[in-house]
Amino acid sequence: MLCINCGRDCAKQFTRKIDGREVKLTLCPDCYARLYPEQDEGFFTSFVGRTESRKKTCPVCGTALDDYRRTGLLGCAHCYAAFREELLPTIRYIQGKTSHGGKAPSGAADETYDLVRDLVREREVLKGQIDEAEKRKDESALRGLRARLAEINRKLYQREGDL
């Protein structure tokens, strides 16, 4: 089996109890020890206090890594950066990957991109034509060019679903 954290082929199934529910994790022993250090605490450490990695907090909202492990909730958007290393295995396990793929179907995104690219190019050409018409003082050409420019701007700056 592959480790959901590092991708190596020496993973084992570990069972963790989180909020009263048993969760199975597929991790290699190294990643498990690094992500869940409380399992490796010695006899003395368990009486003295928590390890340094468990005292980690978000610099913006103050949410502790221990709070996240206990509740599964983060305090703010900055927590994702502060706890990045600890969150990646969980995100990879739940979502299957750690990068955002977008909401649109694969073909629709390409069509929208092409449309926007073409409108931006046309807008740039129109701006040049407007400058030339202003130099020539051609009012009728200016009215038509400005109307087309306004139409392009409306299309470009409407909400995403309106394109």
Side-chain angles (χ1 to χ4, degrees), residues 105-122:
S106 60
D110 294 338
E111 291 171 13
T112 302
Y113 174 78
D114 291 341
L115 174 66
V116 170
R117 184 193 62 218
D118 293 343
L119 288 173
V120 169
R121 284 181 182 164
E122 186 178 351

Side-chain angles (χ1 to χ4, degrees), residues 82-102:
F83 306 133
R84 185 179 198 287
E85 187 177 317
E86 293 82 9
L87 291 174
L88 282 177
T90 306
I91 293 170
R92 189 175 293 120
Y93 177 74
I94 292 170
Q95 297 182 355
K97 58 184 179 176
T98 57
S99 62
H100 180 64

Side-chain angles (χ1 to χ4, degrees), residues 37-92:
E38 70 274 6
Q39 299 298 315
D40 296 329
E41 288 182 347
F43 179 77
F44 182 72
T45 312
S46 64
F47 285 103
V48 172
R50 302 178 186 271
T51 61
E52 284 300 313
S53 68
R54 297 193 71 204
K55 292 181 182 178
K56 193 173 189 179
T57 60
C58 174
V60 177
C61 71
T63 298
L65 179 58
D66 198 28
D67 295 337
Y68 163 71
R69 287 186 174 151
R70 187 173 26 73
T71 64
L73 301 173
L74 297 171
C76 70
H78 300 282
C79 289
Y80 288 96
F83 306 133
R84 185 179 198 287
E85 187 177 317
E86 293 82 9
L87 291 174
L88 282 177
T90 306
I91 293 170
R92 189 175 293 120

Side-chain angles (χ1 to χ4, degrees), residues 19 22 25 28 37-38 42 68 86-87 93 96 98 110 120 122 124 130-131 140 153 155:
D19 290 335
E22 286 191 3
L25 302 169
C28 67
E38 70 274 6
Y68 163 71
E86 293 82 9
L87 291 174
Y93 177 74
T98 57
D110 294 338
V120 169
E122 186 178 351
E124 294 306 313
I130 288 172
D131 288 342
S140 63
N153 283 334
K155 287 181 181 178

